[in-house]
């Protein structure tokens, strides 16, 4: 029984797709989206497969079809390399850090 | 005993693995299908959203009208930017397609959608489109590379490895920042931010100390300076305790990060100019678009 369990674990490890842990390439559907009060930034919280907090910038992000993040449920895919700050509100104090999108493509 | 248990478990394992495989394919193909034009398009200029697509061109323009009425409750419209999407006329689309076809880019030919635009859709192309990019990726290393191309290729891998190692070692930066913003007096939060700042500076040094090929010297120097500046801005941020001070430093930090991002994008674009491509999983793949 133990041997078969070990066999199952080994097979599973070798067959499961490997994902890199670096948070440089991201992709997932938008679960939350907020327009920031600073510099026209847009904060997005992405779900799996490679989710996290990402910020779109009108001046920096290389934006491909279909434009900047617009709504929840929309899919995003892109690269990020440095963290950024979205000021959602000054009073009450609400600052949301996230990765600054270097390039992004979105679904319709 | 082992044989018996294998007879029992083997079909279960096969079914589970099959389901995992199917879900993986669906997950990958969902991204590929939804953002298919990403691999087949290029922005006209950094940060300016004007027009994209080679085969189904869309154009975004600044517009005073609000977005569609489909906006959801949790969507807060950005105060400064509003866009509308319109499809240009066929003549304009053709001219855009020709212009894009002539441009030098690292777009690869494995997008099934782009193939469908030129040829009749077939079972084979449909099948290809369902395969994850890992399996249908044609973007192998450029064949017959010149010495310079090989040098640039190796350099990209070296720098990519440094950045990835840094990213893996320092973890989730936004999480560190978020914790600090919530509690600026926590010694642990301050220390973590300080060590992140030191990490940035160290990375800047490592990039500077790596010999860059001649065409990349300037962009590599800018990238190194960019990381150094981000490190200094992060350190300044960690010294703030009040919301007022933090707000001022956040604006400065964001400006620095955006300058850095511009340097990073310029650095990445040199690889395109020389036709350098990295397969997914290679350290240099961080300089390629996510879907290629």
């Amino acid at each position: 029984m133990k041997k078969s369990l070990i066999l199952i674990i080994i097979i599973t490890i070798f067959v499961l797709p490997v994902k890199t842990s670096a948070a440089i390439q991201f992709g997932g559907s938008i679960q939350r989206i907020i327009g920031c009060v600073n510099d026209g930034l847009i904060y997005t919280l992405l779900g799996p497969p490679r989710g996290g907090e990402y910020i779109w910038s009108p001046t920096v992000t290389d934006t491909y079809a279909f434009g900047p993040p617009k709504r929840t449920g929309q899919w995003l895919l892109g690269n990020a390399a440095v963290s950024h700050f979205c000021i959602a509100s000054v009073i009450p104090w609400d600052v949301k850090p996230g990765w600054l999108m270097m390039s992004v493509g979105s679904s319709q | 005993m082992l044989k018996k248990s294998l007879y029992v478990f083997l079909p279960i394992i096969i079914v589970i693995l099959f389901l995992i495989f199917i879900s993986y394919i669906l997950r990958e193909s969902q991204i590929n299908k939804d953002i298919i034009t990403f691999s087949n398009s290029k922005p006209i200029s950094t940060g300016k959203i004007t027009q994209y697509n080679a085969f189904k061109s869309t154009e975004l323009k600044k517009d005073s009208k609000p977005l569609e009425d489909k906006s959801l409750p949790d969507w807060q419209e950005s105060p400064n930017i509003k866009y509308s999407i319109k499809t240009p006329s066929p003549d304009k689309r053709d001219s855009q397609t020709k212009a894009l076809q002539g441009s030098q880019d690292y777009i690869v030919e494995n997008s099934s959608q782009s193939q469908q635009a030129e040829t009749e859709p077939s079972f084979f192309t449909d099948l290809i489109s369902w395969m994850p990019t890992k399996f249908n990726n044609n973007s192998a290393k450029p064949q017959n590379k010149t010495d310079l191309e090989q040098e640039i290729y190796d350099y990209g891998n070296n720098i990519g490895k440094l950045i990835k190692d840094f990213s893996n070692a320092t973890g989730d930066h936004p999480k560190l920042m978020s914790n600090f913003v919530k509690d600026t007096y926590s010694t642990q939060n301050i220390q973590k931010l300080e060590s992140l700042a030191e990490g940035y500076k160290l990375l800047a040094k490592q990039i500077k100390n790596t010999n860059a090929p001649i065409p990349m010297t300037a962009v590599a120097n800018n990238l190194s300076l960019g990381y150094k500046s981000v490190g200094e801005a992060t350190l300044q941020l960690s010294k703030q305790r009040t919301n007022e001070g933090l707000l001022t430093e956040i604006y400065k930090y964001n400006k620095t990060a955006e300058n850095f991002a511009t340097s990073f994008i310029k650095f990445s674009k040199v690889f395109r100019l020389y036709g350098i491509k990295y397969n997914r999983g290679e350290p240099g793949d961080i300089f390629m678009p996510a879907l290629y």
Side-chain angles (χ1 to χ4, degrees), chain B:
Chain B
M1 180 63 189
L2 179 64
K3 270 190 178 180
K4 275 186 180 178
S5 57
L6 267 180
Y7 284 131
V8 176
F9 283 115
L10 206 59
I12 299 170
I13 295 165
I14 290 168
V15 170
I16 291 170
L17 292 177
F18 181 73
L19 289 173
I20 290 168
F21 183 68
I22 292 293
S23 68
Y24 177 65
I25 286 178
L26 286 173
R27 199 172 59 184
E28 291 272 334
S29 64
Q30 180 64 44
I31 300 173
N32 292 355
K33 282 163 73 181
D34 283 352
I35 317 172
I36 198 74
T37 50
F38 182 50
S39 66
N40 204 27
S41 58
K42 72 188 280 278
I44 298 307
S45 63
T46 299
K48 302 287 181 192
I49 299 148
T50 49
Q51 51 192 0
Y52 313 102
N53 203 322
F55 63 95
K56 187 185 172 187
S57 297
T58 56
E59 189 172 299
L60 282 88
K61 284 188 171 179
K62 286 195 175 181
D63 195 343
S64 57
K65 290 178 186 174
L67 288 166
E68 293 173 11
D69 293 328
K70 288 176 184 174
S71 53
L72 295 171
D74 59 348
W75 160 246
Q76 298 172 20
E77 286 183 4
S78 173
N80 302 328
I81 303 160
K82 288 167 182 175
Y83 296 96
S84 68
I85 298 175
K86 75 170 190 179
T87 306
S89 64
D91 293 344
K92 196 173 180 182
R93 189 163 60 227
D94 288 346
S95 64
Q96 285 174 356
T97 307
K98 280 173 188 169
L100 287 169
Q101 279 171 348
S103 64
Q104 200 174 28
D105 205 345
Y106 52 81
I107 295 165
V108 292
E109 302 76 31
N110 65 345
S111 166
S112 63
Q113 293 285 329
S114 66
Q115 289 169 1
Q116 284 173 7
E118 292 164 5
T119 58
E120 287 296 314
S122 66
F123 172 75
F124 183 70
T125 51
D126 285 347
L127 189 68
I128 296 280
S129 72
W130 267 81
M131 289 165 69
T133 50
K134 200 172 275 184
F135 299 121
N136 69 350
N137 195 346
N138 298 328
S139 61
K141 296 171 194 175
Q143 299 295 317
N144 303 323
K145 285 196 289 276
T146 63
D147 287 348
L148 180 63
E149 283 170 351
Q150 183 65 46
E151 199 182 348
I152 294 172
Y153 175 84
D154 293 340
Y155 179 70
N157 269 336
N158 290 340
I159 298 297
K161 188 176 183 317
L162 288 175
I163 295 171
K164 278 191 173 182
D165 287 348
F166 165 73
S167 180
N168 287 333
T170 48
D172 191 353
H173 300 185
K175 182 84 178 166
L176 300 180
M177 302 274 192
S178 180
N179 289 342
F180 175 74
V181 168
K182 282 174 191 163
D183 184 1
T184 52
Y185 289 94
S186 162
T187 318
Q188 196 183 2
N189 292 344
I190 296 166
Q191 279 174 352
K192 281 183 179 174
L193 218 55
E194 283 172 348
S195 61
L196 178 63
E198 289 307 315
Y200 273 123
K201 287 180 184 176
L202 183 66
L203 179 61
K205 267 186 191 172
Q206 287 172 327
I207 292 172
K208 196 178 177 183
N209 292 340
T210 308
N211 284 334
I214 292 165
M216 299 203 72
T217 314
V219 284
N221 193 38
N222 284 342
L223 187 72
S224 170
L225 287 175
Y227 273 116
K228 192 181 172 190
S229 306
V230 171
E232 282 163 3
T234 307
L235 197 62
Q236 288 302 316
L237 210 60
S238 70
K239 291 175 182 169
Q240 305 306 315
R241 299 290 170 266
T242 62
N243 287 353
E244 289 77 20
L246 208 54
L247 192 62
T248 311
E249 283 306 321
I250 280 175
Y251 273 104
K252 286 181 187 172
Y253 173 89
N254 273 5
K255 188 73 188 163
T256 310
E258 290 188 356
N259 288 339
F260 159 78
T262 309
S263 305
F264 189 93
I265 290 166
K266 282 179 182 171
F267 185 85
S268 305
K269 283 184 177 172
V270 177
F271 295 102
R272 305 183 205 183
L273 287 173
Y274 284 88
I276 307 292
K277 297 167 188 171
Y278 293 100
N279 286 324
R280 198 173 291 178
E282 285 185 289
D285 71 349
I286 59 164
F287 304 117
M288 302 280 111
L291 186 69
Y292 63 92

Side-chain angles (χ1 to χ4, degrees), chain A residues 25-78:
Chain A
Q25 291 166 334
F26 63 88
S29 66
I30 300 175
Q31 295 183 344
R32 195 170 180 214
I33 182 163
I34 297 169
C36 314
V37 297
N38 56 323
D39 306 325
L41 302 176
I42 299 173
Y43 166 91
T44 57
L45 176 65
L46 301 187
R50 290 188 193 176
E53 295 166 291
Y54 295 91
I55 295 171
W56 179 86
S57 163
T59 52
V60 170
T61 310
D62 258 1
T63 309
Y64 295 76
F66 291 91
K70 288 188 277 292
R71 57 177 173 80
T72 53
Q74 189 182 24
W75 285 78
L76 299 183
L77 184 71

